[in-house]
Amino acid sequence: MLWLQLKILANPVQIVASNLYTVDPEVGRSLRLQPPSGVGVEFKSIDTEADAKFVTTNWHRRRPGSIDYVRRAVAHLPSTGLHCDGELVACAITTLTGFIGYVYTSKAHRGRGFGRLVEMHLIKQMADVRAIPYLTVKTVHTESVRFHETKIE
């Protein structure tokens, strides 16, 4: 019993109110990706070396070992990066638990729909392999909740 108490203290569990969002794989497979006009973008899978650093550097919950976690995830599961003029500017990966996560757009490229594009691209990739795309959003992140409650087409 003492070991269990110490383990709980060493690895605290935080319970937060969150919304769970899923996409029917049929809907995911039929998504049409529309990059903004006049912008040359390219989707690529996240590279385990070059891009993993971008993903973890910009993750607000990173900790020691996060880069190894990202490398394992992108080596085995769908991931996507949006490149603008050869530079990785937005990303999304499938976590080792199957969630869509690490969705991030660099500050200089926000407000152009790139976050939605990488998320939709990843949803399509997951649906193409018959996975059910899903993610959670903390209810206190009202902007993200609004974003995810907008119908995708």
Side-chain angles (χ1 to χ4, degrees), residues 44-47 73-75 77-81 92-94 121-122 125:
K44 295 181 188 176
S45 293
I46 298 295
D47 180 88
V74 301
L77 298 165
S79 67
T80 192
I93 72 167
T94 307
H121 190 261
L122 185 56
Q125 285 182 299

Side-chain angles (χ1 to χ4, degrees), residues 1 13 27 41 44 53 64 68 98 109 112 114 117 128 147:
M1 189 65 138
V13 174
V27 172
V41 297
K44 295 181 188 176
K53 188 172 183 179
D68 295 324
H109 292 86
R112 299 164 74 183
F114 292 165
L117 277 175
D128 284 345
F147 171 83

Side-chain angles (χ1 to χ4, degrees), residues 1-152:
M1 189 65 138
L2 181 59
W3 176 82
L4 179 61
Q5 291 172 338
L6 291 175
K7 184 166 178 60
I8 290 171
L9 291 174
N11 297 302
V13 174
Q14 183 181 22
I15 299 173
V16 294
S18 298
N19 294 339
L20 174 67
Y21 298 96
T22 64
V23 176
D24 181 301
E26 290 299 318
V27 172
R29 281 191 290 281
S30 68
L31 289 176
R32 287 173 270 114
L33 304 176
Q34 305 275 333
S37 60
V39 178
V41 297
E42 180 182 12
F43 291 105
K44 295 181 188 176
S45 293
I46 298 295
D47 180 88
T48 57
E49 294 305 317
D51 299 337
K53 188 172 183 179
F54 173 87
V55 175
T56 54
T57 299
N58 293 300
W59 188 40
H60 69 282
R61 295 178 58 199
R62 74 181 171 277
R63 57 182 71 64
S66 291
I67 196 159
D68 295 324
Y69 177 92
V70 169
R71 286 177 178 146
R72 282 193 312 274
V74 301
H76 301 288
L77 298 165
S79 67
T80 192
L82 182 78
H83 296 256
C84 188
D85 297 322
E87 175 190 2
L88 178 62
V89 298
C91 62
I93 72 167
T94 307
T95 68
L96 294 175
T97 55
F99 278 86
I100 293 173
Y102 293 78
V103 179
Y104 179 80
T105 302
S106 63
K107 290 179 182 174
H109 292 86
R110 291 185 183 166
R112 299 164 74 183
F114 292 165
R116 179 164 301 267
L117 277 175
V118 292
E119 195 168 283
M120 288 177 62
H121 190 261
L122 185 56
I123 287 169
K124 188 166 180 48
Q125 285 182 299
M126 293 174 77
D128 284 345
V129 296
R130 303 283 193 250
I132 298 173
Y134 65 101
L135 59 96
T136 61
V137 175
K138 293 179 186 177
T139 57
V140 296
H141 296 157
T142 55
E143 187 174 321
S144 190
V145 168
R146 268 194 310 278
F147 171 83
H148 288 93
E149 291 183 356
T150 302
K151 184 178 178 183
I152 60 172

